[in-house]
Amino acid sequence: MVSARPAVQQLPAYRPGRNPADLAREIGVERAVKLASNEVAFPPLPAVVEALAVAAAETNRYPDNGAVVLTAALAERYGVDPAQVVIGCGAVMLCQQLAQSFNDPGTSVAFAWRSFEMYPLLAQVAGARSIPVPLVPGRPGGPADTHDLEALAAAIDDTTRVVFVCNPNNPTGTAVRRPELERFLDAVPADTLVVLDEAYREFVTDPDVPDGMALLRGRPNVAVLRTFSKAWGLAGLRVGYLVAEDPAVADAVRRTHVPFSVSTLAQAAAVAALASEEEVRRRCAAVTAERERLTAALRERGLDVSDSQANFVWLPVGEEAAGLAAALEVRAVITRPFAGQGIRVTVGTPEEDDVLLAALDEVRSTAPVA
């Protein structure tokens, strides 16, 4: 019998957010609200729809494997050389390419925990050891569930090839500020690559949370990872990018690229989205305004919600997470529970969030969870 590698056999199956149409049919309602996957509620940008219509006529041909037009647009946007930019089939694929490019069996990947759930899985696939470093727990008057950068720096050893810093952090939404992050970058050994995972950068409103594109200047062991799936509204097309200060880092990641994995449609849509930046900024402003309203409403209900810098909020309900999420689903609201820790809730439209709040009130009126 043919057997997969033990590391692969032990991988847990990825569980995406439930399809709202399926849930609606299951519980017998007209519509369910999905607040589980950090998508934006806005429809695709008009320029994106137009670009897709044009690009659809070319789908009988392979896409540009080098994504030359998109790479050039991003290089111009950030003032870097195209050789520093890598395009990938979503940020997750680029994370996998990073592990493949820099990790051998016997090496390690360090990251905060809890953070993006794919970090330990990608280390496992690469045969590397995971070094999870606990977040700073919540404390009165201070931010909850934040990166402990001093502990993360101390955890790096001679085997560590890659360190992920998710800023803002998924799933807690918290973000580290410039002084702490600069001290951390200065403390990391020069032969360890620091990847600033900024998938939610466009939703940051705190001026003290630094832009990784500025921090990587002059630091050859730093790279920044971003995506078009969130603020830019291209979750269904899968396109992300990496910018590295050292072109050799970008070249290594590019060598593990799966040929033609970034489709013609995805490339055209991303270029069109970049040209619609003002509309994207307006949409992000609407999301962050709703984020503040939702955060205040949750706090009024007694939930200890930290300030989020992403397009989601974190409910630190501990052991009640699974039960609360299940109770919300019965009431047609899909969230993302993390068993024993909390629930991540995407910021939806005001109408969707009102459905969430009403469902939460109904659940808590019968069985308080926090």
mmCIF file of all heavy atoms in Angstrom, residues 195-228:
data_model
loop_
_atom_site.group_PDB
_atom_site.id
_atom_site.type_symbol
_atom_site.label_atom_id
_atom_site.label_comp_id
_atom_site.label_asym_id
_atom_site.label_seq_id
_atom_site.Cartn_x
_atom_site.Cartn_y
_atom_site.Cartn_z
ATOM 1 N N VAL A 195 9.684 37.463 8.447
ATOM 2 C CA VAL A 195 8.603 37.737 7.503
ATOM 3 C C VAL A 195 7.511 38.497 8.242
ATOM 4 O O VAL A 195 6.896 37.968 9.172
ATOM 5 C CB VAL A 195 8.038 36.443 6.897
ATOM 6 C CG1 VAL A 195 6.908 36.764 5.925
ATOM 7 C CG2 VAL A 195 9.138 35.654 6.208
ATOM 8 N N LEU A 196 7.300 39.751 7.868
ATOM 9 C CA LEU A 196 6.226 40.553 8.432
ATOM 10 C C LEU A 196 4.960 40.277 7.625
ATOM 11 O O LEU A 196 4.822 40.735 6.492
ATOM 12 C CB LEU A 196 6.591 42.036 8.386
ATOM 13 C CG LEU A 196 7.892 42.431 9.108
ATOM 14 C CD1 LEU A 196 8.157 43.922 8.942
ATOM 15 C CD2 LEU A 196 7.841 42.050 10.581
ATOM 16 N N ASP A 197 4.090 39.493 8.194
ATOM 17 C CA ASP A 197 2.854 39.094 7.521
ATOM 18 C C ASP A 197 1.813 40.182 7.757
ATOM 19 O O ASP A 197 1.233 40.293 8.840
ATOM 20 C CB ASP A 197 2.385 37.748 8.078
ATOM 21 C CG ASP A 197 1.192 37.180 7.328
ATOM 22 O OD1 ASP A 197 0.538 37.932 6.581
ATOM 23 O OD2 ASP A 197 0.909 35.977 7.498
ATOM 24 N N GLU A 198 1.584 40.998 6.730
ATOM 25 C CA GLU A 198 0.703 42.147 6.843
ATOM 26 C C GLU A 198 -0.540 42.013 5.959
ATOM 27 O O GLU A 198 -0.914 42.915 5.210
ATOM 28 C CB GLU A 198 1.468 43.430 6.495
ATOM 29 C CG GLU A 198 2.609 43.716 7.466
ATOM 30 C CD GLU A 198 3.292 45.049 7.216
ATOM 31 O OE1 GLU A 198 3.199 45.573 6.073
ATOM 32 O OE2 GLU A 198 3.919 45.567 8.143
ATOM 33 N N ALA A 199 -1.192 40.870 6.073
ATOM 34 C CA ALA A 199 -2.374 40.609 5.250
ATOM 35 C C ALA A 199 -3.488 41.632 5.492
ATOM 36 O O ALA A 199 -4.328 41.859 4.616
ATOM 37 C CB ALA A 199 -2.896 39.199 5.520
ATOM 38 N N TYR A 200 -3.487 42.251 6.681
ATOM 39 C CA TYR A 200 -4.570 43.169 7.039
ATOM 40 C C TYR A 200 -4.077 44.607 7.179
ATOM 41 O O TYR A 200 -4.732 45.440 7.801
ATOM 42 C CB TYR A 200 -5.215 42.703 8.350
ATOM 43 C CG TYR A 200 -5.810 41.326 8.229
ATOM 44 C CD1 TYR A 200 -5.072 40.192 8.583
ATOM 45 C CD2 TYR A 200 -7.083 41.142 7.714
ATOM 46 C CE1 TYR A 200 -5.598 38.921 8.445
ATOM 47 C CE2 TYR A 200 -7.627 39.872 7.570
ATOM 48 C CZ TYR A 200 -6.876 38.762 7.932
ATOM 49 O OH TYR A 200 -7.402 37.513 7.784
ATOM 50 N N ARG A 201 -2.940 44.921 6.580
ATOM 51 C CA ARG A 201 -2.328 46.230 6.745
ATOM 52 C C ARG A 201 -3.263 47.376 6.366
ATOM 53 O O ARG A 201 -3.264 48.431 7.012
ATOM 54 C CB ARG A 201 -1.053 46.309 5.881
ATOM 55 C CG ARG A 201 -0.425 47.685 5.789
ATOM 56 C CD ARG A 201 0.108 48.161 7.121
ATOM 57 N NE ARG A 201 0.204 49.623 7.168
ATOM 58 C CZ ARG A 201 0.570 50.299 8.238
ATOM 59 N NH1 ARG A 201 0.885 49.661 9.344
ATOM 60 N NH2 ARG A 201 0.624 51.617 8.215
ATOM 61 N N GLU A 202 -4.067 47.206 5.361
ATOM 62 C CA GLU A 202 -4.909 48.299 4.863
ATOM 63 C C GLU A 202 -5.968 48.743 5.871
ATOM 64 O O GLU A 202 -6.542 49.830 5.731
ATOM 65 C CB GLU A 202 -5.584 47.902 3.551
ATOM 66 C CG GLU A 202 -4.624 47.725 2.384
ATOM 67 C CD GLU A 202 -3.988 46.337 2.307
ATOM 68 O OE1 GLU A 202 -4.221 45.526 3.243
ATOM 69 O OE2 GLU A 202 -3.277 46.066 1.325
ATOM 70 N N PHE A 203 -6.225 47.926 6.898
ATOM 71 C CA PHE A 203 -7.232 48.267 7.897
ATOM 72 C C PHE A 203 -6.633 48.920 9.144
ATOM 73 O O PHE A 203 -7.362 49.229 10.088
ATOM 74 C CB PHE A 203 -8.017 47.017 8.304
ATOM 75 C CG PHE A 203 -8.707 46.338 7.148
ATOM 76 C CD1 PHE A 203 -8.213 45.152 6.623
ATOM 77 C CD2 PHE A 203 -9.836 46.893 6.572
ATOM 78 C CE1 PHE A 203 -8.831 44.528 5.558
ATOM 79 C CE2 PHE A 203 -10.472 46.272 5.499
ATOM 80 C CZ PHE A 203 -9.964 45.091 4.983
ATOM 81 N N VAL A 204 -5.317 49.112 9.168
ATOM 82 C CA VAL A 204 -4.652 49.704 10.333
ATOM 83 C C VAL A 204 -4.987 51.192 10.419
ATOM 84 O O VAL A 204 -4.839 51.933 9.437
ATOM 85 C CB VAL A 204 -3.133 49.501 10.250
ATOM 86 C CG1 VAL A 204 -2.415 50.294 11.348
ATOM 87 C CG2 VAL A 204 -2.783 48.018 10.370
ATOM 88 N N THR A 205 -5.420 51.630 11.589
ATOM 89 C CA THR A 205 -5.703 53.049 11.822
ATOM 90 C C THR A 205 -4.805 53.645 12.898
ATOM 91 O O THR A 205 -4.753 54.868 13.040
ATOM 92 C CB THR A 205 -7.174 53.252 12.226
ATOM 93 O OG1 THR A 205 -7.476 52.430 13.366
ATOM 94 C CG2 THR A 205 -8.108 52.882 11.077
ATOM 95 N N ASP A 206 -4.119 52.818 13.670
ATOM 96 C CA ASP A 206 -3.218 53.295 14.721
ATOM 97 C C ASP A 206 -1.934 53.796 14.072
ATOM 98 O O ASP A 206 -1.190 53.008 13.469
ATOM 99 C CB ASP A 206 -2.913 52.156 15.692
ATOM 100 C CG ASP A 206 -2.058 52.584 16.873
ATOM 101 O OD1 ASP A 206 -1.440 53.674 16.812
ATOM 102 O OD2 ASP A 206 -1.977 51.827 17.854
ATOM 103 N N PRO A 207 -1.617 55.085 14.181
ATOM 104 C CA PRO A 207 -0.412 55.606 13.526
ATOM 105 C C PRO A 207 0.890 55.052 14.095
ATOM 106 O O PRO A 207 1.939 55.173 13.460
ATOM 107 C CB PRO A 207 -0.516 57.123 13.757
ATOM 108 C CG PRO A 207 -1.386 57.262 14.971
ATOM 109 C CD PRO A 207 -2.370 56.136 14.901
ATOM 110 N N ASP A 208 0.825 54.436 15.270
ATOM 111 C CA ASP A 208 2.033 53.872 15.874
ATOM 112 C C ASP A 208 2.334 52.454 15.395
ATOM 113 O O ASP A 208 3.369 51.881 15.747
ATOM 114 C CB ASP A 208 1.916 53.872 17.401
ATOM 115 C CG ASP A 208 1.903 55.285 17.974
ATOM 116 O OD1 ASP A 208 2.560 56.158 17.376
ATOM 117 O OD2 ASP A 208 1.224 55.509 18.987
ATOM 118 N N VAL A 209 1.420 51.880 14.616
ATOM 119 C CA VAL A 209 1.684 50.558 14.026
ATOM 120 C C VAL A 209 2.439 50.777 12.725
ATOM 121 O O VAL A 209 1.906 51.390 11.790
ATOM 122 C CB VAL A 209 0.372 49.789 13.779
ATOM 123 C CG1 VAL A 209 0.658 48.457 13.077
ATOM 124 C CG2 VAL A 209 -0.358 49.548 15.102
ATOM 125 N N PRO A 210 3.676 50.306 12.621
ATOM 126 C CA PRO A 210 4.513 50.666 11.475
ATOM 127 C C PRO A 210 4.144 49.921 10.201
ATOM 128 O O PRO A 210 3.573 48.836 10.229
ATOM 129 C CB PRO A 210 5.918 50.263 11.937
ATOM 130 C CG PRO A 210 5.672 49.121 12.873
ATOM 131 C CD PRO A 210 4.395 49.459 13.588
ATOM 132 N N ASP A 211 4.492 50.549 9.087
ATOM 133 C CA ASP A 211 4.352 49.941 7.775
ATOM 134 C C ASP A 211 5.614 49.117 7.523
ATOM 135 O O ASP A 211 6.722 49.649 7.489
ATOM 136 C CB ASP A 211 4.213 51.053 6.732
ATOM 137 C CG ASP A 211 3.964 50.532 5.332
ATOM 138 O OD1 ASP A 211 4.407 49.405 5.027
ATOM 139 O OD2 ASP A 211 3.352 51.244 4.536
ATOM 140 N N GLY A 212 5.439 47.820 7.329
ATOM 141 C CA GLY A 212 6.590 46.946 7.129
ATOM 142 C C GLY A 212 7.428 47.317 5.925
ATOM 143 O O GLY A 212 8.637 47.051 5.884
ATOM 144 N N MET A 213 6.801 47.927 4.915
ATOM 145 C CA MET A 213 7.555 48.312 3.726
ATOM 146 C C MET A 213 8.627 49.349 4.058
ATOM 147 O O MET A 213 9.655 49.424 3.374
ATOM 148 C CB MET A 213 6.618 48.851 2.654
ATOM 149 C CG MET A 213 5.652 47.827 2.104
ATOM 150 S SD MET A 213 6.476 46.460 1.251
ATOM 151 C CE MET A 213 5.026 45.518 0.721
ATOM 152 N N ALA A 214 8.389 50.148 5.099
ATOM 153 C CA ALA A 214 9.414 51.106 5.531
ATOM 154 C C ALA A 214 10.451 50.428 6.406
ATOM 155 O O ALA A 214 11.649 50.733 6.323
ATOM 156 C CB ALA A 214 8.754 52.263 6.291
ATOM 157 N N LEU A 215 10.013 49.483 7.233
ATOM 158 C CA LEU A 215 10.944 48.829 8.146
ATOM 159 C C LEU A 215 11.949 47.931 7.440
ATOM 160 O O LEU A 215 13.050 47.704 7.961
ATOM 161 C CB LEU A 215 10.171 48.007 9.184
ATOM 162 C CG LEU A 215 9.383 48.789 10.231
ATOM 163 C CD1 LEU A 215 8.758 47.830 11.228
ATOM 164 C CD2 LEU A 215 10.270 49.794 10.947
ATOM 165 N N LEU A 216 11.601 47.377 6.281
ATOM 166 C CA LEU A 216 12.536 46.458 5.636
ATOM 167 C C LEU A 216 13.724 47.177 4.999
ATOM 168 O O LEU A 216 14.742 46.544 4.702
ATOM 169 C CB LEU A 216 11.832 45.565 4.615
ATOM 170 C CG LEU A 216 11.199 46.144 3.348
ATOM 171 C CD1 LEU A 216 12.208 46.504 2.282
ATOM 172 C CD2 LEU A 216 10.209 45.127 2.780
ATOM 173 N N ARG A 217 13.631 48.480 4.802
ATOM 174 C CA ARG A 217 14.721 49.221 4.163
ATOM 175 C C ARG A 217 16.003 49.075 4.978
ATOM 176 O O ARG A 217 16.040 49.378 6.166
ATOM 177 C CB ARG A 217 14.380 50.707 4.044
ATOM 178 C CG ARG A 217 13.008 51.005 3.453
ATOM 179 C CD ARG A 217 12.929 50.725 1.965
ATOM 180 N NE ARG A 217 11.590 51.033 1.453
ATOM 181 C CZ ARG A 217 11.269 51.012 0.178
ATOM 182 N NH1 ARG A 217 12.167 50.705 -0.736
ATOM 183 N NH2 ARG A 217 10.034 51.291 -0.207
ATOM 184 N N GLY A 218 17.046 48.607 4.336
ATOM 185 C CA GLY A 218 18.324 48.441 5.005
ATOM 186 C C GLY A 218 18.435 47.204 5.863
ATOM 187 O O GLY A 218 19.452 47.006 6.534
ATOM 188 N N ARG A 219 17.402 46.356 5.850
ATOM 189 C CA ARG A 219 17.430 45.113 6.637
ATOM 190 C C ARG A 219 17.303 43.930 5.664
ATOM 191 O O ARG A 219 16.199 43.508 5.320
ATOM 192 C CB ARG A 219 16.290 45.088 7.651
ATOM 193 C CG ARG A 219 16.443 46.099 8.787
ATOM 194 C CD ARG A 219 15.315 45.927 9.811
ATOM 195 N NE ARG A 219 15.559 46.670 11.035
ATOM 196 C CZ ARG A 219 15.097 47.885 11.291
ATOM 197 N NH1 ARG A 219 14.349 48.502 10.379
ATOM 198 N NH2 ARG A 219 15.364 48.486 12.435
ATOM 199 N N PRO A 220 18.409 43.369 5.220
ATOM 200 C CA PRO A 220 18.356 42.316 4.195
ATOM 201 C C PRO A 220 17.719 41.013 4.654
ATOM 202 O O PRO A 220 17.415 40.160 3.810
ATOM 203 C CB PRO A 220 19.837 42.112 3.827
ATOM 204 C CG PRO A 220 20.609 42.651 4.979
ATOM 205 C CD PRO A 220 19.784 43.761 5.551
ATOM 206 N N ASN A 221 17.489 40.852 5.955
ATOM 207 C CA ASN A 221 16.838 39.625 6.428
ATOM 208 C C ASN A 221 15.364 39.847 6.758
ATOM 209 O O ASN A 221 14.765 39.094 7.533
ATOM 210 C CB ASN A 221 17.560 39.067 7.659
ATOM 211 C CG ASN A 221 17.434 39.969 8.885
ATOM 212 O OD1 ASN A 221 17.367 41.194 8.751
ATOM 213 N ND2 ASN A 221 17.418 39.377 10.062
ATOM 214 N N VAL A 222 14.760 40.866 6.140
ATOM 215 C CA VAL A 222 13.341 41.158 6.377
ATOM 216 C C VAL A 222 12.586 41.142 5.050
ATOM 217 O O VAL A 222 13.070 41.650 4.036
ATOM 218 C CB VAL A 222 13.154 42.527 7.072
ATOM 219 C CG1 VAL A 222 11.670 42.863 7.218
ATOM 220 C CG2 VAL A 222 13.819 42.512 8.447
ATOM 221 N N ALA A 223 11.403 40.549 5.075
ATOM 222 C CA ALA A 223 10.502 40.542 3.921
ATOM 223 C C ALA A 223 9.094 40.840 4.410
ATOM 224 O O ALA A 223 8.754 40.570 5.567
ATOM 225 C CB ALA A 223 10.542 39.204 3.194
ATOM 226 N N VAL A 224 8.278 41.401 3.542
ATOM 227 C CA VAL A 224 6.895 41.752 3.877
ATOM 228 C C VAL A 224 5.953 40.965 2.982
ATOM 229 O O VAL A 224 6.143 40.895 1.759
ATOM 230 C CB VAL A 224 6.647 43.266 3.707
ATOM 231 C CG1 VAL A 224 5.173 43.601 3.928
ATOM 232 C CG2 VAL A 224 7.527 44.059 4.675
ATOM 233 N N LEU A 225 4.940 40.393 3.604
ATOM 234 C CA LEU A 225 3.963 39.566 2.903
ATOM 235 C C LEU A 225 2.605 40.259 2.948
ATOM 236 O O LEU A 225 2.143 40.678 4.017
ATOM 237 C CB LEU A 225 3.876 38.202 3.584
ATOM 238 C CG LEU A 225 2.974 37.131 2.984
ATOM 239 C CD1 LEU A 225 3.489 36.707 1.622
ATOM 240 C CD2 LEU A 225 2.908 35.931 3.919
ATOM 241 N N ARG A 226 1.959 40.393 1.777
ATOM 242 C CA ARG A 226 0.630 40.994 1.709
ATOM 243 C C ARG A 226 -0.253 40.238 0.726
ATOM 244 O O ARG A 226 0.232 39.393 -0.022
ATOM 245 C CB ARG A 226 0.717 42.478 1.340
ATOM 246 C CG ARG A 226 1.361 43.312 2.449
ATOM 247 C CD ARG A 226 1.237 44.786 2.226
ATOM 248 N NE ARG A 226 1.896 45.533 3.289
ATOM 249 C CZ ARG A 226 2.095 46.836 3.267
ATOM 250 N NH1 ARG A 226 1.677 47.562 2.236
ATOM 251 N NH2 ARG A 226 2.701 47.442 4.280
ATOM 252 N N THR A 227 -1.535 40.589 0.730
ATOM 253 C CA THR A 227 -2.502 39.861 -0.088
ATOM 254 C C THR A 227 -3.513 40.809 -0.715
ATOM 255 O O THR A 227 -3.758 41.899 -0.197
ATOM 256 C CB THR A 227 -3.242 38.812 0.769
ATOM 257 O OG1 THR A 227 -4.143 38.080 -0.058
ATOM 258 C CG2 THR A 227 -4.044 39.479 1.879
ATOM 259 N N PHE A 228 -4.095 40.376 -1.825
ATOM 260 C CA PHE A 228 -5.215 41.088 -2.433
ATOM 261 C C PHE A 228 -6.559 40.495 -1.985
ATOM 262 O O PHE A 228 -7.615 40.954 -2.426
ATOM 263 C CB PHE A 228 -5.124 41.006 -3.961
ATOM 264 C CG PHE A 228 -4.089 41.919 -4.554
ATOM 265 C CD1 PHE A 228 -2.805 41.458 -4.819
ATOM 266 C CD2 PHE A 228 -4.385 43.241 -4.847
ATOM 267 C CE1 PHE A 228 -1.837 42.294 -5.367
ATOM 268 C CE2 PHE A 228 -3.436 44.090 -5.392
ATOM 269 C CZ PHE A 228 -2.160 43.619 -5.657
#
